[in-house]
Amino acid sequence: MTRKIAVVTGANRGLGLEIVRQLARQDMTVVLTARDRLKGLKAVERFQEEELSVRCRELDVTSASSIDALGEFLEREFGRCDILVNNAGIFPDVVSYDVGDPTGGLDAPLENVRRAMETNTYGPLLLCQRLIPLMRRNQYGRIVNMASDLACLTELADVEGKFLAYRMSKVALNMVTRVLVAELKAEGVNILVN
């Protein structure tokens, strides 16, 4: 049986690192991606000690050429991509992490909104556009786009007027996810997005 190939973005620490561990423990080859290659390689060393199949690739999710280079690597090395976890993200709305002073809609710098959209929304969209064709080849794929309770738009959601850039980017990511679900379902392929 061919080993599944999983890609986890923003995976050199925190939740991404644990996602890599859990996938690798399920006998998959996991490509751990990080903006900083050295931090990614250091993270991979831990998995080598556990004899888990984890590879490192540098990836900037805000760069189309970096995303394309990842796609080329996956095609060349494995000829496939089975799982994509879009975990990389930023939370640019906090002016000072020491003080925890969040910016709201009235004072959110537009640059923060742009950066959040590029990282949290456009990056995952471009990754899906680049890697879904690899999933179609094998009629199998699983994509997880990491969302947030702060992006909930139900009538029960408590929107308190803070964290505009982050919230906007994650709400947009939720819409990207829903559109991809509908399109892939209409194709009849075994590629799930959530």
Side-chain angles (χ1 to χ4, degrees):
M1 186 168 108
T2 305
R3 192 185 273 253
K4 284 190 172 37
I5 306 301
V7 175
V8 182
T9 68
N12 60 293
R13 63 186 175 90
L15 185 59
L17 192 66
E18 185 58 26
I19 292 168
V20 169
R21 176 175 284 107
Q22 295 301 319
L23 291 172
R25 285 182 176 165
Q26 294 180 42
D27 204 28
M28 296 181 196
T29 295
V30 182
V31 179
L32 174 157
T33 73
R35 272 184 310 184
D36 184 322
R37 188 170 189 277
L38 293 178
K39 288 180 181 176
L41 289 170
K42 187 172 177 102
V44 167
E45 287 176 9
R46 298 179 203 166
F47 298 118
Q48 290 172 341
E49 292 170 6
E50 296 178 52
E51 297 183 8
L52 297 173
S53 180
V54 178
R55 306 267 302 266
C56 175
R57 279 303 284 186
E58 185 175 346
L59 175 67
D60 178 353
V61 299
T62 67
S63 165
S65 62
S66 182
I67 289 169
D68 195 49
L70 173 66
E72 290 172 5
F73 165 78
L74 293 167
E75 287 179 278
R76 184 178 59 250
E77 292 293 314
F78 310 109
R80 66 187 302 132
C81 177
D82 302 294
I83 297 167
L84 169 61
V85 179
N86 280 311
N87 174 68
I90 62 169
F91 199 118
D93 295 297
V94 177
V95 174
S96 166
Y97 286 101
D98 296 330
V99 178
D101 181 20
T103 60
L106 296 174
D107 55 0
L110 188 56
E111 181 55 32
N112 284 2
V113 176
R114 280 191 186 106
R115 286 180 41 240
M117 293 298 289
E118 287 175 2
T119 303
N120 299 348
T121 308
Y122 306 152
L125 172 60
L126 289 173
L127 279 154
C128 288
Q129 290 174 339
R130 180 63 176 91
L131 300 184
I132 285 174
L134 290 175
M135 295 176 178
R136 281 186 181 123
R137 287 182 188 170
N138 297 304
Q139 292 291 300
Y140 177 87
R142 299 294 182 261
I143 300 169
V144 177
N145 292 327
M146 301 298 282
S148 168
D149 286 346
L150 290 175
C152 184
L153 285 180
T154 66
E155 56 192 347
L156 300 175
D158 180 22
V159 178
E160 59 188 35
K162 302 289 185 195
F163 315 118
L164 177 71
Y166 181 78
R167 287 176 189 240
M168 278 180 61
S169 67
K170 290 299 186 172
V171 166
L173 180 61
N174 286 343
M175 183 53 69
V176 166
T177 301
R178 294 190 69 172
V179 167
L180 293 176
V181 165
E183 290 179 2
L184 292 166
K185 183 177 181 182
E187 281 183 28
V189 295
N190 186 17
I191 300 174
L192 303 179
V193 187
N194 54 33

